[in-house]
Amino acid sequence: MAQRAATRPAITPNGSPAAPLPVAAAPALGRAEKLELYYFMRLTRTLEERLVSLYRQTKVVGGLFRSLGQEADAVGSAYALDRTQGDILSPLIRNLGSMLVQGATPLEILRQYMAKGDSPTRGRELNIHFGDVRRGFIGQISHLGDMVPVMAGVTLSFKVRGERRVGLVYVGDGATSTGAFHEGINFAAVQRCPLVVIVENNGYAYSTPTSRQTAARHLVDKAAGYGVPGEQADGNDVLATYDVTKRAVDRARAGGGVTLIELITYRRKGHAEHDNQSYVPEGEIERWSRENDPIDRYAAVLRDREGVEPQELAAIDARVQAEIDAATDTADASPPPQALDALVGVYADPPAVPPLWFREGSGAPAAAAAAERPAGWGTYDG
Amino acid sequence: MAEITYLEAIREGLIEEMERDPAVFCLGEDIGAYGGAFKVTDGLMQRFGENRVIDTPVSEVAIVGAAAGAAHMGMRPVCEMQFIDFISCAYDILTNYVATARYRAMLPCPMVVRGPSGGYVRGGPFHSQNPEAAFLHTPGLKIVSPATASDAKGLLKAAIRDDDCVLFFEHKYLYRRVKETMPSGDHVVPIGQARVAREGRDLSIITYSATVWKALEAAEELERADGLSVEVLDLRSLSPLDDDAIIATVRKTNRVLIVHEDTRTGGVAGEITARITERAFEWLDAPVMRVTAADVPLPYAPQLEDYVLPQTADIVGAARTIARY
Ligand SMILES: Cc1ncc(C[n+]2csc(CCOP(=O)(O)OP(=O)(O)O)c2C)c(N)n1
Ligand SMILES: [Mg+2]
């Protein structure tokens, strides 16, 4: 059963993929690395589950976005980057896993969702909207598509400086409809930037099914229009995701320019935690969760093909749990931001804007904080 | 008749206009089958069908541009921006194409672009914006910002009937917090007319949208604690501004505080201040002052958002300064 699940083509709400999806083997990866992929997928899921319980305790300020069922696509693709070469990715809201691979910590994620003063953005931004160039991820903004041209520029600078670095940018099926996506990928294609564009087709953009988002048969078909290679892969197969991305990363590093990859996956939770998914056909979510859960599938692959013992996976699960428990305690004890910190950091110079006249006397803006501001602007907590 | 919320009032306005005029139709992201991110258009697709309630791809330029083309053909499109923060994606087509169409090409653009704006909801920098100032500066666009449920309905109906493009900035903080019984009949609030939300003699607070409610709270407090009689002028329309109502309140109280939730520099308050100075300088007993958001992107954490956005206590303090001047 599990073996079959691992090899069957992904189910898509729009019909089946163009060609049978390749069965992943990831020959480049050793056993330890394959276990690490499992670790990051489990870390993503357990961390989000922790966030759900914090959300219910109203400790999460604002909305909560899940990647349940999409952990493989974020983790497998990010894992194909080379962290020793300074590769950089830009995640979207369902790519928590890719950030963890790049070195974001559960503590940062928890502080960020809880709007703590020592969160990576010091309470300025929400959820996983943060980045750290040094660790190789640039934070998204809400406006969909905008990160594609930004990553075109990141990778353009790799190219013109002769660096052997690669960039990767995620967009959803919905975001492919934006002008920014089109302009960004086209520009990168013309410039042959070392950029991998991952289109995560999870079946929905908020309530809109992919069939109402594009008249193209497949999102990967768009690659031809930009004159770049396109590949489609099973986003719920972490090794397939790794393989397809690794090919694109290698091509980009060798000067081959942009690749567009469509990963077929499925959004099992609502757009955000508040969304009751009333628009989803009955049984669809249950079917994906039963037949195509990326962690269940991968656990079966590890067992059947790699001879990984159940206790090994259980030990990883326990390690993840312990890490998240410890991070939760620390995040919970983190202080909220100081109000006056709101005035710090709009410009490099001046470091802080003055309080408005009716707030004068409420204290000078956190000049000390401004002076101590780290070069990476608070995105790195060691 | 029963009270309905600000959000329901918008929906009622949409339904009445769609029933009145078959040229009226809605388009936007997730507005049909789902009923919209905030459920403003809930039930409309079932009622009016897929040709009149159109779910679009995530494409603000296409939404606004297609509305303009349809408007040229005699349709009356109502575009929804899922959050008004995304109107910036359509800034080019709105300011270059739509706003100039009548002037340069004699092409009418009777269309509405509406959506949830505003903060006080922990929405962070991209789900809290107040984009009015950028568009106030663009000749050819009208802007309305209702504070009450009946104005939301009446102004929406006026916006749909208007022969030019009207930006309809609804405030998401008010969606389910303010309620009112709708006036009976065909309730249309003319664009360009302010409303005296509270009569007063000593000082005027000029404002719009959610901060009308903060100004009213402040006025109560000032009356109770200081014996000050504060007038609150709810602008309702930002373009065109109701100059006569603004000048009338200046001449009545001689002291003016302008309050808005948007950031200070280049904001609506600066424009109002200039108009007062041009037309009623000699009527002033104190400088015109502003309470606005600080000039920073709106942060997410409650401690930061509360500091950046104008609060009732700020209005009270500022009014006292002006009253003492
Ligand atoms: C330019 C823009 N328009 C609208 C939105 C509102 N919005 C947020 S997420 C979303 C759907 C995104 O769908 P998709 O790109 O498929 O990503 P997914 O949520 O499925 O991961 C929309 C419409 C936005 N963030 N940006
Ligand atoms: Mg999607």
Side-chain angles (χ1 to χ4, degrees), chain A residues 28-108:
Chain A
L29 292 178
R31 191 175 190 277
E33 289 165 312
K34 285 183 176 161
L35 286 175
E36 200 176 27
L37 285 174
Y38 176 85
Y39 163 79
F40 281 121
M41 287 164 67
R42 179 61 70 195
L43 185 63
T44 307
R45 183 166 298 181
T46 308
L47 180 52
E48 287 185 2
E49 284 164 356
R50 176 57 49 84
L51 285 164
V52 171
S53 75
L54 292 168
Y55 180 85
R56 296 201 175 126
Q57 297 166 50
T58 67
K59 287 185 176 173
V60 165
V61 181
L64 172 58
F65 298 82
R66 296 292 309 275
S67 66
L68 180 67
Q70 298 184 222
E71 297 91 345
D73 92 57
V75 167
S77 52
Y79 206 76
L81 291 176
D82 188 339
R83 273 151 297 282
T84 65
Q85 302 239 29
D87 292 351
I88 293 185
L89 62 76
S90 173
L92 269 186
I93 197 67
R94 297 191 214 285
N95 303 119
L96 168 60
S98 75
M99 295 166 67
L100 296 170
V101 169
Q102 294 298 86
T105 65
L107 179 57
E108 287 176 305

Side-chain angles (χ1 to χ4, degrees), chain B residues 138-161:
Chain B
T138 304
L141 298 174
K142 294 185 178 177
I143 306 169
V144 297
S145 280
T148 67
S150 61
D151 281 350
K153 177 176 175 183
L155 282 168
L156 182 64
K157 286 165 68 90
I160 291 172
R161 296 180 195 188

Side-chain angles (χ1 to χ4, degrees), chain A residues 61 112-113 122-125 141-143 174 177-178 205-208 213 275 279 336-338 340 356-359, chain B residues 30 34 57-59 82 85-86 88 125-127 289-293 296 299-301 303-304 307-309 314 318:
Chain A
V61 181
Q112 186 69 16
Y113 262 107
R122 298 163 59 147
R124 287 158 166 71
E125 253 281 33
I141 65 166
S142 297
H143 291 59
S177 299
T178 63
Y206 211 138
S207 76
T208 305
Q213 196 66 240
D275 169 9
Y279 46 85
Q338 299 284 318
L340 284 163
L356 294 181
W357 70 275
F358 53 88
R359 290 283 178 76
Chain B
D30 307 290
Y34 189 60
V58 183
S59 305
Q82 193 159 86
D85 310 59
F86 306 125
S88 50
F126 308 112
H127 290 80
M289 307 285 267
R290 294 175 284 180
V291 167
T292 66
V296 302
Y300 158 62
Q303 297 78 6
L304 302 179
Y307 180 80
V308 171
L309 290 181
D314 298 320

